[in-house]
Amino acid sequence: MLIGIVGKPNVGKTTFFRALTLMDAESANYPFTTINPNKGVGFVRNKCVDVFFNVQCNPRTGYCRQHIRYLPVDVIDVAGLVPGASEGRGLGNKFLTDLNQADALIQVIDASGSTDEEGKSVKPGSFNPSLEIKFLVEEIEKWLFEIFKRNFSKIGTTQRVQKLKTLKVLEEYLYATLGSKEEDIFQVLKKNNLIEKNLVDWNDEELLSFTKDIRKISKPIVIAANKIDLPFAKENIERIKKEFPDIIIIPCSAESEYALKAAEKVKVIEYLPGDSVFKILKEDLSEKQKNALEFIKHNILEKYQSTGVQDILDKVVFEVLKYIAVYPGGTKGLADKEGNILPDCFLMPPESKAIDFAFKLHTDFGKNFIKAIDVKTKMLLGKDHPLKNNDCIEIVSGK
């Protein structure tokens, strides 16, 4: 799973990436600071299963504090996007090529309206942030449309000669390019009355409609409405939520989250990402440090209950992509051979079954699968048993 962070220049996109990963990506107040994509690891927040067993886990990857497990997720911050990117304007071609790897997108927008469509600084409130949402979707869909248009006639000709079903052809092509599943493609074809129509016979209107619908599935977008500490942000967010009722829009302050994590890292404060409070540990703070923390406390955490950054990543992974956290365990004990308790936890795609988890742990476990055991209930599970979030599963295999 890879989450892409996107948006026009100068909206705090790279600061958002830094807030998630604490990596020192380049960030500045001018367009195209990010040229090559920044790749890092963020962490989604999930209540740890160790509470159920009344133990404290020892994660091999990520970390667990106060029985909240933080699980690693790959994220990528790509070059800023400007109108005309689908025709190659700015760094558009590079942006869209990098973007193609992502399973979902977090679009960072300037909720205060203090950057224009090119990413240049303007007076707060003078630019309408809803335009950012519209143009990003349009650029992605234009780009996909041109790719599909170039390839569909060739694929359609092959389909006609070999008399292949449209669904089968598209499943192979779109899985390779976008990772789209057969059932999703089928629903989009059905919606657009294209199941029986040969690809080479699609007109531009049908192809565009198909492109828009498949984009919603293959590249779902969640909006990070950034800069909530600035004037006009709150009013703008309320307005764009009404304007885009079908899009998830979450207020955030990437700068505040980065500041809190950085302070927590050097033990100035105690802070758990996603929380609405922090505790000051160091007494001899400078006046500047005190003022900064007070500002975040009163203007961000008390008003919005969090900085929003953690909420956004959690929402994308667990609600939009519908991944679940599954722990390997044993009915005879929860520790590995080194004594680490519940050291591993895996994020599994929706509708994962016991056999999928077996293959995730090791190919041999999947090939030689005998049964699975729900460690919480001690129930025996077959290979097709559907898994759910916070399951703890023991896999029993031959050999």
Side-chain angles (χ1 to χ4, degrees), residues 2 18 29 32 99 124 140 148 234 257 275 282 301 306 342 377 379:
L2 179 66
R18 293 169 67 195
N29 189 28
F32 305 122
L99 169 69
I140 294 172
F148 291 166
K234 192 171 187 294
E257 179 71 6
D275 275 3
K282 194 175 179 182
L301 299 181
S306 79
L342 294 167
T377 64
M379 287 182 61

Side-chain angles (χ1 to χ4, degrees), residues 116-390:
D116 67 14
E117 63 180 7
E118 303 287 339
K120 298 173 184 175
S121 295
V122 295
K123 183 181 178 181
S126 62
F127 185 79
N128 181 0
S130 67
L131 297 177
E132 295 182 44
I133 300 173
K134 291 176 183 176
F135 99 78
L136 179 80
V137 171
E138 289 172 359
E139 292 296 338
I140 294 172
E141 290 175 351
K142 284 179 188 175
W143 175 66
L144 287 175
F145 175 76
E146 291 302 324
I147 292 175
F148 291 166
K149 192 173 181 180
R150 285 196 301 270
N151 291 294
F152 270 34
S153 59
K154 300 173 188 176
I155 298 169
T157 301
T158 303
Q159 175 196 10
R160 179 170 281 166
V161 171
Q162 298 183 7
K163 297 182 179 179
L164 301 171
K165 290 287 187 182
T166 297
L167 179 59
K168 186 63 180 174
V169 175
L170 282 180
E171 182 196 7
E172 187 173 327
Y173 173 67
L174 288 179
Y175 189 81
T177 56
L178 295 176
S180 303
K181 297 178 182 177
E182 180 181 357
E183 60 198 68
D184 295 329
I185 299 167
F186 175 78
Q187 292 302 324
V188 173
L189 289 173
K190 185 178 179 182
K191 178 183 175 184
N192 290 278
N193 298 314
L194 294 170
I195 292 177
E196 300 299 329
K197 193 168 185 178
N198 198 293
L199 292 169
V200 77
D201 297 323
W202 289 17
N203 59 42
D204 283 358
E205 186 178 340
E206 289 169 330
L207 181 54
L208 181 58
S209 180
F210 175 84
T211 300
K212 289 181 177 181
D213 288 336
I214 206 70
R215 193 282 306 160
K216 291 175 184 176
I217 295 170
S218 64
K219 293 286 182 286
I221 298 173
V222 170
I223 304 298
N226 196 29
K227 303 188 182 183
I228 53 176
D229 54 305
L230 296 183
F232 302 102
K234 192 171 187 294
E235 303 93 304
N236 282 336
I237 292 169
E238 290 174 357
R239 179 173 50 78
I240 61 177
K241 280 185 175 181
K242 292 177 182 176
E243 189 174 349
F244 300 97
D246 298 327
I247 297 179
I248 297 171
I249 300 169
I250 301 175
C252 74
S253 173
E255 196 171 79
S256 297
E257 179 71 6
Y258 182 75
L260 291 175
K261 280 189 176 177
E264 202 272 340
K265 187 177 182 180
V266 295
K267 303 189 185 316
V268 169
I269 64 171
E270 183 180 288
Y271 171 66
L272 206 54
D275 275 3
S276 60
V277 295
F278 60 84
K279 180 182 178 182
I280 296 177
L281 301 177
K282 194 175 179 182
E283 294 183 2
D284 56 335
L285 296 180
S286 68
E287 200 63 31
K288 185 178 179 181
Q289 288 175 315
K290 289 179 183 177
N291 290 339
L293 289 173
E294 279 297 306
F295 181 88
I296 293 172
K297 177 183 176 183
H298 294 299
N299 293 282
I300 304 299
L301 299 181
E302 290 180 358
K303 281 186 180 180
Y304 294 94
Q305 306 311 306
S306 79
T307 67
V309 173
Q310 184 67 52
D311 301 340
I312 292 164
L313 187 61
D314 294 348
K315 183 83 70 172
V316 170
V317 172
F318 292 123
E319 294 189 29
V320 175
L321 295 178
K322 301 185 187 308
Y323 271 63
I324 57 173
V326 183
Y327 297 74
T331 52
K332 295 181 180 179
L334 300 171
D336 63 11
K337 58 184 179 181
E338 282 82 33
N340 296 311
I341 297 172
L342 294 167
D344 297 311
C345 180
F346 297 95
L347 289 168
M348 299 292 295
E351 300 178 15
S352 290
K353 296 179 172 58
I355 187 66
D356 301 316
F357 189 58
F359 274 107
K360 179 74 173 180
L361 296 178
H362 198 285
T363 303
D364 288 345
F365 290 170
K367 288 180 178 179
N368 303 300
F369 181 95
I370 295 175
K371 63 184 177 182
I373 303 172
D374 185 325
V375 179
K376 291 180 179 178
T377 64
K378 308 299 188 292
M379 287 182 61
L380 299 182
L381 311 173
K383 66 178 182 178
D384 293 325
H385 180 82
L387 302 178
K388 61 185 183 301
N389 193 57
N390 272 10

